[in-house]
Amino acid sequence: MPQETQISETENAPSSISELQTLLKNDIKVKVAVDGVLRGKYMSKDKFLSAASSDGFNFCSVIFGWDIHDTVYSKELLISNRANGYRDLIASIDLATYRRIPWENNVPFFLVSFLDPDTKEPICADPRGVLRRVAAKAQNKGWKCIAGCEYEYFQFKETPESLAQKNFRDLQPLTSGMHGYSLLRTQLNTEYFNDLFDESVKFQVPLEGHHTETGPGVYETALAYTDAIRMADNAILFKFLAKSVGIKRGVVPSFMAKPWGNLPGCSGHIHVSLRDADGKSIFALPEDQLKNGRSDAQYEDTKFLSQEGEWFLAGVLDGLPDVMPMLVPTINGYKRLVGGEAFWAPNAVTYGYDSRAASVRIISPPSVPPSATRLEVRVPGADMNPYFALSAIFALGLRGIEKKLRLPGPPVSQLSQEDKKNGKVRMLPQSLEAATERMMRPESVAREEAVFGNDFVEHFGGTRQHEVRLWNEAVTNWEVERYLELA
């Protein structure tokens, strides 16, 4: 069952209702949060304890029936619609996610997952539920999904009010110039820069690295690796944390993938591996093969990757074009990938040893110890939903192992620009519309029951069709400036 899937619990997470009651004895309210764009509410302690002692509490399903601006989807979808009256779902509280929000008077905080009120089973499009199902497949093989996420994000000396007043134009960057890894630039806005790290520790979202990145007011933050479900929780909560801390400091951090056409976009790179019950990497070679690598590797680039690791990589590459909306879910996200070579953003089905020019970077000996062997998927932007992105990567990788798939061709170091033009290399979809159409094809890998199945694809694909429709109906500044006078 999804509730039994392994997840790294937060510190002091209660394991029973009695422990929970003790934990909350001095509190009067609790905050719960839901969905990929965090939504939630305060609950009285009594109501929360009652919900935690049962299946959960009722929550309106409309959060699965509207977009990020609370507009009802133009297409009636399975979970929440006019026909079922936007009925309630059951919000099941995950006690393993217990935290306190340090900038909000240390109020207790929990995440929830959604169940169908009739069957008590996870609904098909619940972000945490989708990832739990994928992690459970790995767990059934004795493996644990391990991941780490990195965010690049712009920051502006603005407020939500000033953004609206300026119509999101002529915004003031937090700092000027291109200053990646700058020690000097962090002396500006030093309280905010340090708050991001320090509050993350208090909020139990541990970080691995935190520095300036190339671009005006750009930071990059790497989250400490952990199991995939906890990683997705931490990743979505880091966005919440950054925006909350920013509000208090007069800063608006933006995780939009490509705010400016002439500057690098914002990535959401994901590092993944599998581990066995003893914590050993499934992608690592045994010690007796470390000197010369694996003799039966398909290519030189994969000789220090285990056979299972190579199959996993092949699975990701095989299905990548069919799950693009799960990695790049917005209209703007594809602007980062189009012509992305100039900014190290991949736009083709490619891989390579320690290659930041590839869609999937192999990180293995000799550049790292065997225990650190992993894959870095460089396609997602900072606007990703981490639950869906991690689900897609691990579902495809596990499919590759199960089918013992072979790599589709040579590594990126052996390819040329001509190979992209002549079809030797598969290109990734160049827009959300094209990506959604591909994902929703009858023969899409995403539709396979062992991957995501039809119900999920119809729901999530429908939400992306809605986004495309809004974009197609919009008249942009570029169009007005280009055509109004001269057309």
Side-chain angles (χ1 to χ4, degrees):
M1 295 292 290
Q3 288 80 2
E4 297 171 356
T5 307
Q6 292 177 1
I7 175 175
S8 297
E9 297 180 348
T10 56
E11 187 177 356
N12 297 323
S15 58
S16 66
I17 296 301
S18 61
E19 286 184 15
L20 178 63
Q21 290 172 326
T22 301
L23 198 66
L24 304 181
K25 65 180 180 180
N26 295 321
D27 298 292
I28 62 170
K29 60 182 183 293
V30 178
K31 198 166 195 177
V32 292
V34 302
D35 206 7
V37 174
L38 279 185
R39 303 174 186 270
K41 63 180 181 180
Y42 278 128
M43 296 175 67
S44 70
K45 182 169 68 173
D46 288 344
K47 181 174 176 62
F48 177 83
L49 288 171
S50 173
S53 303
S54 61
D55 291 328
F57 60 95
N58 287 6
F59 205 104
C60 181
S61 67
V62 75
I63 61 170
F64 289 94
W66 62 19
D67 64 19
I68 60 174
H69 286 280
D70 293 6
T71 299
V72 175
Y73 290 126
S74 44
K75 179 180 180 180
E76 289 281 89
L77 301 177
L78 177 67
I79 297 170
S80 182
N81 51 58
R82 293 179 184 86
N84 66 22
Y86 304 100
R87 66 174 183 167
D88 279 350
L89 300 172
I90 295 177
S92 177
I93 300 164
D94 189 343
L95 298 183
T97 66
Y98 163 73
R99 295 167 169 79
R100 290 181 180 270
I101 305 178
W103 60 90
E104 212 169 315
N105 298 320
N106 275 326
V107 65
F109 177 89
F110 295 84
L111 292 169
V112 306
S113 298
F114 285 98
L115 308 179
D116 183 282
D118 298 324
T119 66
K120 304 297 191 295
E121 292 294 319
I123 62 171
C124 68
D126 172 55
R128 298 187 84 239
V130 171
L131 184 52
R132 277 185 183 274
R133 285 193 290 274
V134 176
K137 291 176 186 176
Q139 188 172 315
N140 288 339
K141 296 179 181 293
W143 301 334
K144 193 171 189 178
C145 298
I146 302 295
C149 294
E150 303 169 355
Y151 282 128
E152 296 168 348
Y153 48 106
F154 281 83
Q155 272 120 158
F156 302 94
K157 285 185 178 178
E158 303 287 351
T159 66
E161 292 76 19
S162 70
L163 292 178
Q165 290 166 1
K166 292 182 174 184
N167 292 317
F168 293 86
R169 304 190 71 175
D170 302 319
L171 306 182
Q172 183 180 355
L174 187 63
T175 57
S176 60
M178 311 288 276
H179 297 282
Y181 299 100
S182 172
L183 294 181
L184 185 61
R185 274 295 182 269
T186 59
Q187 303 310 304
L188 298 169
N189 313 289
T190 185
E191 294 87 358
Y192 169 68
F193 180 78
N194 283 290
D195 276 353
L196 289 174
F197 197 106
D198 297 344
E199 296 296 273
S200 292
V201 174
K202 296 176 190 174
F203 196 41
Q204 298 199 53
V205 178
L207 306 184
E208 208 169 71
H210 183 50
H211 59 87
T212 64
E213 185 52 283
T214 299
V218 180
Y219 291 166
E220 177 173 355
T221 304
L223 280 63
Y225 68 91
T226 182
D227 72 79
I229 300 173
R230 176 71 187 272
M231 184 73 261
D233 289 346
N234 288 355
I236 202 72
L237 291 176
F238 178 76
K239 287 187 178 183
F240 170 60
L241 178 149
K243 293 173 183 180
S244 300
V245 169
I247 286 172
K248 294 183 179 295
R249 296 288 186 183
V251 177
V252 173
S254 172
F255 294 84
M256 183 177 177
K258 187 75 170 175
W260 314 118
N262 62 340
L263 290 172
C266 295
S267 69
H269 298 157
I270 297 176
H271 295 246
V272 297
S273 64
L274 295 170
R275 290 186 181 176
D276 64 18
D278 296 323
K280 181 183 176 184
S281 173
I282 301 300
F283 293 175
L285 289 183
E287 195 163 336
D288 60 359
Q289 293 184 358
L290 288 177
K291 183 176 180 181
N292 299 312
R294 187 163 52 90
S295 60
D296 59 345
Q298 262 192 266
Y299 295 97
E300 187 78 5
D301 285 45
T302 60
K303 71 177 184 178
F304 288 101
L305 191 63
S306 71
Q307 179 63 78
E308 288 82 4
E310 188 174 276
W311 287 332
F312 188 102
L313 170 61
V316 172
L317 296 171
D318 181 64
L320 187 58
D322 285 0
V323 300
M324 278 294 287
M326 300 181 72
L327 303 181
V328 186
T330 68
I331 294 290
N332 176 259
Y334 293 82
K335 302 293 178 71
R336 170 178 160 266
L337 302 181
V338 174
E341 295 94 337
F343 299 117
W344 292 1
N347 55 17
V349 180
T350 55
Y351 70 96
Y353 170 72
D354 204 11
S355 174
R356 288 181 170 86
S359 290
V360 184
R361 174 186 171 213
I362 301 169
I363 303 173
S364 69
S367 65
V368 297
S371 60
T373 303
R374 62 194 187 276
L375 302 176
E376 179 190 23
V377 182
R378 297 178 58 81
V379 175
D383 56 355
M384 67 171 174
N385 178 323
Y387 298 102
F388 289 158
L390 283 166
S391 296
I393 293 166
F394 281 107
L396 293 180
L398 291 170
R399 174 179 178 269
I401 293 175
E402 187 170 330
K403 291 180 174 289
K404 299 182 178 180
L405 295 179
R406 290 180 61 80
L407 296 170
V412 69
S413 59
Q414 298 180 27
L415 301 173
S416 67
Q417 288 299 317
E418 283 301 312
D419 291 324
K420 290 186 176 181
K421 296 176 183 177
N422 63 26
K424 185 176 179 181
V425 179
R426 282 195 299 167
M427 300 300 295
L428 296 173
Q430 299 292 290
S431 68
L432 181 59
E433 184 168 16
T436 302
E437 287 176 358
R438 184 174 179 103
M439 183 181 74
M440 297 189 75
R441 294 175 309 148
E443 65 272 26
S444 168
V445 169
R447 285 191 179 274
E448 295 178 11
E449 279 304 315
V451 182
F452 297 111
N454 287 324
D455 286 349
F456 175 84
V457 170
E458 287 299 318
H459 177 89
F460 185 64
T463 72
R464 298 309 87 199
Q465 289 174 328
H466 168 82
E467 198 77 1
V468 168
R469 177 179 174 179
L470 293 181
W471 168 246
N472 287 340
E473 292 173 350
V475 177
T476 66
N477 291 336
W478 183 90
E479 293 169 281
V480 173
E481 292 168 5
R482 188 166 182 86
Y483 301 122
L484 188 141
E485 179 188 1
L486 300 176

